[in-house]
Amino acid sequence: MNGKELAEAIQKCLALFTDYADELGDLDQALGDGDLGITVSLGAKAASEALSNLDDSATPAEVVLACAKAFANANPSTMAALVAGALLAGSRTLGDATEVAPGQAGKFALAAAESISQRGKSQVGDKTILDAMFPAAEALLASPDGVADLAAAIEAAEAGVIRSTGLQSRRGRASWMQERSIGLKDPGATAYLRFLQSWHAANSPAEVG
Amino acid sequence: MKKIINEPLRFVDEFLEGILLAHPDLVKTPGDDPRILVRADAPVAGKVGIVTGGGSGHLPLFKGYVGKGLCDGVAIGNVFSSPSSAQVFEATKAVDGGAGVLYLYGNYGGDVFNFDLSVDLAELEGIPTRTVLGCDDVASQPKERAADRRGVAGIIFAFKAAGAAAERGDSLDEVAAVAQDIVENTATMGVGLTPTILPTTGKPSFELAEREMEIGIGIHGEPGIHRGELESADEIADHLLAPLMADLSLVAGDRVAVLVNGLGATPLEELYVLYRRVHQNLAAAGIEIAKNYVGEYATSLEMAGASISLLKLNDSRLELLNAAARSPFFIEA
């Protein structure tokens, strides 16, 4: 897919993704400061608008960078900055190419996860968004024909969310809850899962996500 | 504990508003957040910008070194807490003159986290950044792990030199190299006599008995390396100075800059008593003090105590220290 097609795919995905804002806000209310719902809805809106204003000839990397910038500027929060940095890192895997080649989703997802891991000084098991991101990236990278297998990624992310629910939060505001965080779903990991599900539902009409 | 404050939670914003009201000719806030401060003429076109930041409670540290020949901008957090990445980013945009921005701040986890996030935000805006961390507290880590040391008062040498380098038109990489060179040749050690009382809790940050002192204490009350009976000024000076001279491998014939810094509640007279001994010891070792600073440069609210910093000098470092600079708290004519 080229830049224009990628932009349209993102916009379709974000339109569905914002439906989860309330759910994510409620999860964050229980475990963090409760602003994740706002972060998602403001960020998605800003990214969609930025894509509408983008030139049709923009490369996939430019499309991603426009989203990153819009998302960060819409939300002066740590989470938004982490996501913007992750998208920036992901965009570097796309280079100046005018098309997203098959099999690039895995490299993109891994670079994004590594960026959040490095910037946030966190790993899988700390009960963060990474508990969904790394397994999903591995699933995408493992697809044998190089074609990203979104369904496998969703399955892996979902398993990550379930696994991390039983863990204690080690990072961010959620860590202040200490052992009271055990048994609560991590809002970040859930958000990533919902994003993948939204992508699948919006851009794979032949299948039911 | 008595403090001259209003609502404790408003303490930070109120002192920052005071600084803005007192020095409108030198500093301004780019938006409506008093926790972000930039020099009055920012952004200076074509000049490398320097952004620093950290927690409140250390005046004049951070806020006090924004001005011509020093830093261009600062983002400040609550008492002893990091500013947010959004605040660092706002300061970055406000000082970007098209030549890139150096992040120069003390080595603390929260600050590193938020400044690093801002590195990405700046890159998305097309603003190149470099990062140099102050890590001069020799009591916090051994020499072989110098890069992991805490940043304390000695960072003002880096502000001064990097600020002068930026002012004379050096490139981003050159300004960063100057800052790094200064950091690598700076060593600091402090002593605490009484704790800091946090305005929001009214509680001391650590406990020290009436006759006790703590050598190697950090500027947030982090534990030092020796706690014991309070010694005389000369003994304290000897204790603080010897590790610094060893750390910088000083030998007869070397030149240094000396900073004797008060931590907030120690009178200037006592700082000069310390300086006298530092001068005597260095003279006896054949080391020349080519530049000295005595006063409050990096404090910890009302902690009683002092720190001594040494910067090993060469001609280029000394030239940068001597270049003109002006902020509300620092003047080099």
Side-chain angles (χ1 to χ4, degrees), chain A residues 69 72-73 76 78 85 92 119, chain B residues 86 113 116 120-121 123-125:
Chain A
K69 215 155 123 172
N73 288 329
T78 299
R92 293 195 188 106
R119 289 289 189 231
Chain B
F113 175 74
D116 276 357
D120 288 343
L121 301 177
E123 186 177 332
L124 286 167
E125 288 291 328

Side-chain angles (χ1 to χ4, degrees), chain A residues 65 68-69 72-73 76-78 81-82 84-86 88 92 115 119-121, chain B residues 84-86 89 93 109 112-114 116-121 123-126:
Chain A
L65 288 176
K69 215 155 123 172
N73 288 329
S77 71
T78 299
L82 282 166
L88 172 67
R92 293 195 188 106
S115 162
R119 289 289 189 231
K121 316 238 178 332
Chain B
S84 72
S85 54
F89 180 46
K93 284 188 289 188
V112 172
F113 175 74
N114 286 297
D116 276 357
L117 287 174
S118 185
V119 165
D120 288 343
L121 301 177
E123 186 177 332
L124 286 167
E125 288 291 328

Side-chain angles (χ1 to χ4, degrees), chain B residues 290-301:
Chain B
K291 193 93 188 150
N292 71 71
Y293 307 83
V294 182
E296 288 186 349
Y297 289 81
T299 62
S300 184
L301 291 174

Side-chain angles (χ1 to χ4, degrees), chain B residues 16-30:
Chain B
L16 294 172
E17 285 159 16
I19 291 175
L20 282 162
L21 291 168
H23 306 286
D25 54 324
L26 296 173
V27 290
K28 64 183 181 189
T29 182

